[in-house]
Amino acid sequence: MADILLIETSTSVLSVALARDGAVVHERVCREPRMQASLTAPLVKEVLDEAGLGMACCDAVCVSSGPGSYTGLRVGVSTAKGLCFGADIPLLAIGTLDVLVAGVSCDDGAKRPRGSGGVAPQSVEDKMDDERQFIVPMIDARRMEVYTAVYNAAGERLTPVEAQIIGPESFAGYLDRGEVLFVGDGALKCKEVIGHPNARFQEAYPLARDMAKLAQKAFDEGKFENLAYFEPFYLKDFMATVSKKKLW
């Protein structure tokens, strides 16, 4: 029986969960933006206290590795590495796009509002059925740019993760072959640009709970990260902006 602490900080939604043998037993979700730095550690404590566990009783920590928010990824990975060092337990990492796709490909096929835990009614726009051929997770970047890749309906990644500027012809080859679900916090901004009749759009956020089965699989296969050298997958270099306010 493996108890794995799950940490997801790559977007504006922060979440922490505890999984036991691949099933989530406790979780916390914060939907208020930019709270990773102040709330990640407290949410970890809440989840562990609720479970009656200390960090030393956990078998591993799994963190969402990116791409995503530069600051969010730094906080998540730094927290996960610190917990692993302190408790002398291994670190696991799951790509953020893989987490998004895992949320779509949940076993019961139900669609949940991301972060609410409930079940949302299906509509013509977001209906998910056996006709879906591809899943394209999209993490919002600047303007019409997203971090993305293409997955098949079984959740297997078909293309490398990349930063892509979306235009009318984006993913046309896949759309011509069948229904494509664009999912993530970058999906809806592409809705007015990608007008293909096979395109479906769903706003979503990667959640710690959606890492559970992937984390358990990585744990079983011994796919542990090097604590000293592991870094988030930023995909692009951090770009700082210069304030327009006069300082003197």
Side-chain angles (χ1 to χ4, degrees), residues 63 66 187 198 201 237:
V63 66
N198 283 336
F201 300 87
D237 293 334

Side-chain angles (χ1 to χ4, degrees), residues 22-23 101-112 128 132 154 209-210 213:
V101 173
V104 171
S105 306
C106 52
D107 284 348
D108 59 4
K111 287 173 56 56
R112 293 176 286 112
M128 295 162 52
R132 184 180 65 225
R209 65 162 32 249
D210 296 327
K213 291 184 178 180

Side-chain angles (χ1 to χ4, degrees), residues 140-204:
D140 193 16
R142 290 184 174 87
R143 299 182 178 87
M144 288 309 298
E145 188 173 32
V146 296
Y147 302 133
T148 189
V150 178
Y151 293 69
N152 63 20
E156 300 165 328
R157 184 157 56 85
L158 305 177
T159 67
V161 177
E162 62 179 348
Q164 185 172 145
I165 297 175
I166 302 301
E169 299 303 314
S170 296
F171 306 101
Y174 295 99
L175 288 160
D176 287 342
R177 294 163 60 184
E179 183 177 295
V180 178
L181 175 66
F182 297 95
V183 60
D185 64 350
L188 293 190
K189 75 177 184 180
C190 301
K191 186 175 181 179
E192 299 302 319
V193 178
I194 301 175
H196 198 287
N198 283 336
R200 304 290 182 267
F201 300 87
Q202 177 190 342
E203 183 177 27

Side-chain angles (χ1 to χ4, degrees), residues 5-245:
L5 182 69
L6 312 170
I7 299 175
E8 215 304 318
T9 59
S10 65
T11 67
S12 60
V13 175
L14 161 66
S15 57
V16 175
L18 180 69
R20 182 162 294 153
D21 287 342
V24 173
V25 290
H26 300 284
E27 71 172 332
R28 291 289 187 276
V29 179
C30 174
R31 303 172 189 83
E32 187 175 347
R34 296 184 293 278
M35 297 301 291
Q36 288 91 340
S38 59
L39 277 187
T40 300
L43 292 189
V44 167
K45 184 177 186 304
E46 287 183 19
V47 166
L48 292 176
D49 286 349
E50 190 173 81
L53 295 178
M55 273 308 307
C57 296
C58 293
D59 295 287
V61 177
C62 183
V63 66
S64 180
S65 60
S69 159
Y70 182 91
T71 301
L73 290 172
R74 291 297 297 177
V75 170
V77 170
S78 297
T79 301
K81 291 174 71 171
L83 293 170
C84 289
F85 272 121
D88 193 24
I89 57 177
L91 174 68
L92 303 165
I94 304 295
T96 307
L97 296 179
D98 293 340
V99 179
L100 265 175
V101 173
V104 171
S105 306
C106 52
D107 284 348
D108 59 4
K111 287 173 56 56
R112 293 176 286 112
R114 314 309 292 166
S116 71
V119 176
Q122 291 185 329
S123 67
V124 173
E125 178 60 39
D126 64 13
K127 184 179 179 183
M128 295 162 52
D129 52 38
D130 293 336
E131 295 179 1
R132 184 180 65 225
Q133 298 297 312
F134 302 101
I135 304 170
V136 179
M138 291 179 160
I139 296 175
D140 193 16
R142 290 184 174 87
R143 299 182 178 87
M144 288 309 298
E145 188 173 32
V146 296
Y147 302 133
T148 189
V150 178
Y151 293 69
N152 63 20
E156 300 165 328
R157 184 157 56 85
L158 305 177
T159 67
V161 177
E162 62 179 348
Q164 185 172 145
I165 297 175
I166 302 301
E169 299 303 314
S170 296
F171 306 101
Y174 295 99
L175 288 160
D176 287 342
R177 294 163 60 184
E179 183 177 295
V180 178
L181 175 66
F182 297 95
V183 60
D185 64 350
L188 293 190
K189 75 177 184 180
C190 301
K191 186 175 181 179
E192 299 302 319
V193 178
I194 301 175
H196 198 287
N198 283 336
R200 304 290 182 267
F201 300 87
Q202 177 190 342
E203 183 177 27
Y205 296 89
L207 295 177
R209 65 162 32 249
D210 296 327
M211 301 165 63
K213 291 184 178 180
L214 296 173
Q216 183 64 51
K217 184 176 185 292
F219 181 86
D220 292 341
E221 295 174 355
K223 293 183 177 179
F224 305 122
E225 304 295 337
N226 185 306
L227 272 179
Y229 297 104
F230 178 75
E231 291 291 334
F233 176 41
Y234 296 119
L235 189 58
K236 294 179 64 176
D237 293 334
F238 174 68
M239 295 180 62
T241 58
V242 178
S243 173
K244 295 180 180 180
K245 295 181 180 179

